[in-house]
Amino acid sequence: MQAQASLASGLALHQRGQLNEARACYLQVLELQPRHFDALHLLGVVAAQTKNFAQALELFDQATGINASHAFAFNNRGNVLRDLRQPERAIASYDKAIALKADYAEAHNSRGSALMDLAKTQDALQSYDKAIALKGDYAEAHTNRGNALLALTLHQAAIASHDRAIALKPDYAEAHNNRGAALAALQQFSTAINSYDQAIAYRASYAQAYYNRANALVELKELETALESYDKAIALNPAHAEAHNNRGNALRGMERLEVALASYDQAIAFKADFADAHNNRGNALSDLRQFRAALESYNQAIALKADHAEAYNNRGSAFRDLQQPQAAIDSYDQAITLQPDYAKAHLNRSLCLLQMGDFEHGWEEYEWRWEDEALQKSVRQFTQPLWLGAEPLHGKTILLHAEQGFGDTLQFCRYARLVSDLGARVLLEVQAPLAGLLAELDGVAQVLKCGEPLPAFDCHCPLLSLPFAFKIRLDKLPAGASYLAPLPDKVAQWAARLGEKSTPRVGLVWSGSATHKNDRNRSVRLSEWLRFLPEGLQYVSLQKETRAEDKETLALNPHIVRLDEEITDFSDTAALCEMMDVVVSVDTSVAHLACAMGKSTWIALPLNPDWRWLLERSDSHWYPCAKLYRQEAAGDWDGVFRRIGTDLGALAAPFSPPLSAKP
């Protein structure tokens, strides 16, 4: 009677959540009756609830050893085995519970979750269906079923299961969160956020919902708001390694690189074997031009996960940034071996081969660019076939179309003549700002602006696939110093605008498009360059887009002619280039324009330049009129500007001291 009274007291305390007090009562029972099944079983439940899973398993084993016909004890034992990450043993325990109680819906549901742990999704779905068949209003089984359907990429069915769970239990936070995950998989991120918000409304401390919400906001490019959600998730669960990692990704997207690095370090501190965090840490270090440190992080990611194709790919890019192209190729090859259809690794490999001058293999590999997510928006869908050099073109009409930046179009439009020489009628579709300038390009029958209705044609080819089609090699680039010419009326217009020339004219371009993926490495501030420009020359800004900080510098330096508000398209820029004695530019479209016109063009390049400028050369096979000024260390523009300034000084007559830099 005393044991029974202690058990009853313990159970009452247990139901009120007073676990320590309940535990004391159960221990009193065991002092009186060491083989008391209920006391052992309930003591195991307390141990599980306080996350002492090893002790809970020991207690459940003792209890089921005394009473092997108690289905609930075997179910609870299975739950503890899942917590101990022993799903196979958990399933065996659930099977025992079901054998004892065939209509045990909870055991079928738990069995499904253990099968999900083993990635046996189809089997798990059958267990969830069985649980629901036994208990139709079982909300947890419905949402678990939705998770299994999501894993099987049956997104709409998954949403329907979560909706059923919510209909049964409107305040079921997990179901709202899981519904959001299914919507996010369908890329319905705004609607997913609404579901996450519902989950948080029902459970304000739901760290995972905040984390998922942040991930959806990242997809919507709402990085600041995403950061707030990651911070909330971390405040609720400081050890949430994935939240720290993804917070780092958001910060990196905002170019807050040092803070991003700290987030990756936090992720690794909580989860030392977190390969993705090591990989992402390497990316932030690469952005900071700390390439050797980045290599260490990529190597650590690979050591933790030998099949981490992305880390091999990123390591290849770090080797390339360190001017170790063969090591880069080897790393890209390893990424491709692991994942043969890894488009980004193929594309990076192609760029490395081209940079090394291996055009024979580089052009072929470059065709992988169409599979890369970053270039998907450039893919054109035509019913007419793609021409890559195999089929005869005589008597056919072919559409050549621009695909990437202005500079790419200006560089590769030269091949229109070769296509025309094959007997084809050539249509050339280009970006609108280039259409006027290219209207008279040799070999082109008609120039079209992107977006205009297209006339009939028989086949098509992107401009940057033409070198592959013609099997262009480094020693077989088209001869000739120029293939573009300015429009005479534009030249006359700008000659009147600039007036008579009294000193040599220098056209300046210091930045390209701010949205270019490599802008931080190729563009500079005018103020950084100004102090290296000698007097005795007339400087003309050829910038069409001028950033706010550069506008301020120009306002304080009126001796630099500013024309950005008067330039309408590339026909204006070409006419201005024509009136320059030299064009000095970073690697952007104006450099290609001036070179295509045969103008003396000096190009400032980062340590790891775009593939087309090759390596360790001061000249260009593409453009005989170009002179290349390369960084000698990553980020070191001063050395480049100093050498350009010295060479500009030779043009000035008489030579004067450098200008004083003004902010």
Side-chain angles (χ1 to χ4, degrees), residues 476-657:
K476 294 181 180 179
L477 294 175
S482 65
Y483 52 90
L484 292 181
L487 305 180
D489 59 332
K490 289 284 187 177
V491 173
Q493 173 189 328
W494 284 105
R497 167 67 177 83
L498 291 179
E500 186 175 350
K501 183 174 74 170
S502 58
T503 59
R505 281 182 179 145
V506 179
L508 292 178
V509 182
W510 56 88
S511 65
S513 171
T515 60
H516 191 280
K517 65 179 181 180
N518 198 38
D519 185 64
R520 73 162 63 90
N521 290 320
R522 67 169 188 163
S523 294
V524 299
R525 296 183 180 90
L526 176 59
S527 57
E528 297 177 45
W529 203 334
L530 196 60
R531 62 193 174 94
F532 296 100
L533 299 177
E535 293 183 347
L537 300 166
Q538 183 185 24
Y539 294 103
V540 179
S541 168
L542 302 180
Q543 294 277 155
K544 175 70 175 76
E545 298 178 8
T546 305
R547 304 178 192 187
E549 60 197 357
D550 295 321
K551 289 179 180 178
E552 183 180 349
T553 301
L554 286 167
L556 294 170
N557 292 274
H559 56 278
I560 299 177
V561 181
R562 178 183 169 187
L563 304 167
D564 53 329
E565 295 182 357
E566 301 173 54
I567 297 172
T568 58
D569 61 18
F570 277 91
S571 64
D572 290 314
T573 309
L576 283 167
C577 288
E578 180 67 15
M579 286 178 283
M580 301 298 116
D581 291 278
V582 63
V583 173
V584 185
S585 175
V586 294
D587 180 11
T588 188
S589 57
V590 179
H592 288 281
L593 173 61
C595 286
M597 294 170 56
K599 296 295 297 184
S600 178
T601 308
W602 300 353
I603 305 173
L605 297 176
L607 179 67
N608 179 34
D610 191 77
W611 63 267
R612 68 202 77 209
W613 307 117
L614 305 180
L615 296 169
E616 300 178 352
R617 303 184 65 94
S618 60
D619 63 343
S620 169
H621 280 74
W622 297 99
Y623 302 117
C625 60
K627 184 176 182 180
L628 309 180
Y629 294 79
R630 300 174 182 272
Q631 286 182 350
E632 295 177 352
D636 176 25
W637 285 115
D638 282 5
V640 172
F641 299 152
R642 188 175 291 110
R643 281 178 276 130
I644 290 175
T646 298
D647 289 349
L648 285 173
L651 295 179
F655 177 79
S656 300

Side-chain angles (χ1 to χ4, degrees), residues 26 47 176 192 203 205 258 304 385 414 462 510 517 636 648:
Y26 300 146
H176 287 286
R203 188 196 298 171
S205 62
E258 296 286 0
L304 290 166
R414 68 177 73 195
W510 56 88
K517 65 179 181 180
D636 176 25
L648 285 173

Side-chain angles (χ1 to χ4, degrees), residues 84 101 125 139 238 277 279 283 426 487 501 510 559 625 659:
L84 290 169
K101 182 176 169 56
L125 192 61
N279 176 60
N283 292 338
V426 176
L487 305 180
K501 183 174 74 170
W510 56 88
H559 56 278
C625 60
L659 299 171

Side-chain angles (χ1 to χ4, degrees), residues 397-398 416 420 424-428 439 441-448:
T397 297
I398 185 171
S420 176
R425 180 174 182 269
V426 176
L427 307 175
L428 178 63
L441 181 66
D442 190 23
V444 175
Q446 183 180 357
V447 170
L448 303 153

Side-chain angles (χ1 to χ4, degrees), residues 302-595:
I302 291 164
L304 290 166
K305 186 180 177 185
D307 62 348
H308 203 315
E310 184 180 346
Y312 277 110
N313 173 65
N314 292 337
R315 188 179 74 166
S317 296
F319 276 127
R320 188 177 164 208
D321 284 320
L322 287 166
Q323 302 283 280
Q324 298 180 40
Q326 190 54 56
I329 291 288
D330 292 342
S331 208
Y332 294 139
D333 285 345
Q334 286 171 304
I336 293 165
T337 298
L338 290 166
Q339 191 176 321
D341 62 348
Y342 192 177
K344 188 174 291 294
H346 281 284
L347 177 57
N348 286 337
R349 184 177 188 275
S350 76
L351 298 177
C352 198
L353 289 167
L354 292 170
Q355 188 183 54
M356 295 166 69
D358 184 356
F359 285 10
E360 180 178 359
H361 299 100
W363 294 129
E364 181 177 5
E365 193 85 336
Y366 192 54
E367 290 301 300
W368 273 92
R369 68 193 184 279
W370 301 118
E371 304 300 323
D372 181 50
E373 184 179 349
L375 290 175
Q376 282 295 306
K377 61 181 182 295
S378 300
V379 177
R380 303 293 297 277
Q381 301 294 337
F382 297 113
T383 56
Q384 295 89 336
L386 172 67
W387 181 78
L388 290 177
E391 300 80 15
L393 288 180
H394 187 77
K396 294 183 178 180
T397 297
I398 185 171
L399 173 69
L400 306 181
H401 46 93
E403 56 173 274
Q404 296 182 47
F406 294 124
D408 297 295
T409 302
L410 289 164
Q411 181 177 1
F412 292 99
C413 69
R414 68 177 73 195
Y415 291 114
R417 173 75 271 172
L418 296 185
V419 178
S420 176
D421 288 345
L422 295 176
R425 180 174 182 269
V426 176
L427 307 175
L428 178 63
E429 183 193 55
V430 299
Q431 302 94 326
L434 288 171
L437 175 65
L438 300 183
E440 301 300 323
L441 181 66
D442 190 23
V444 175
Q446 183 180 357
V447 170
L448 303 153
K449 297 178 183 178
C450 291
E452 285 185 337
L454 296 172
F457 59 94
D458 300 300
C459 55
H460 73 98
C461 184
L463 282 178
L464 273 70
S465 290
L466 289 173
F468 174 56
F470 285 109
K471 296 181 171 52
I472 297 299
R473 302 293 177 261
L474 194 59
D475 58 348
K476 294 181 180 179
L477 294 175
S482 65
Y483 52 90
L484 292 181
L487 305 180
D489 59 332
K490 289 284 187 177
V491 173
Q493 173 189 328
W494 284 105
R497 167 67 177 83
L498 291 179
E500 186 175 350
K501 183 174 74 170
S502 58
T503 59
R505 281 182 179 145
V506 179
L508 292 178
V509 182
W510 56 88
S511 65
S513 171
T515 60
H516 191 280
K517 65 179 181 180
N518 198 38
D519 185 64
R520 73 162 63 90
N521 290 320
R522 67 169 188 163
S523 294
V524 299
R525 296 183 180 90
L526 176 59
S527 57
E528 297 177 45
W529 203 334
L530 196 60
R531 62 193 174 94
F532 296 100
L533 299 177
E535 293 183 347
L537 300 166
Q538 183 185 24
Y539 294 103
V540 179
S541 168
L542 302 180
Q543 294 277 155
K544 175 70 175 76
E545 298 178 8
T546 305
R547 304 178 192 187
E549 60 197 357
D550 295 321
K551 289 179 180 178
E552 183 180 349
T553 301
L554 286 167
L556 294 170
N557 292 274
H559 56 278
I560 299 177
V561 181
R562 178 183 169 187
L563 304 167
D564 53 329
E565 295 182 357
E566 301 173 54
I567 297 172
T568 58
D569 61 18
F570 277 91
S571 64
D572 290 314
T573 309
L576 283 167
C577 288
E578 180 67 15
M579 286 178 283
M580 301 298 116
D581 291 278
V582 63
V583 173
V584 185
S585 175
V586 294
D587 180 11
T588 188
S589 57
V590 179
H592 288 281
L593 173 61
C595 286

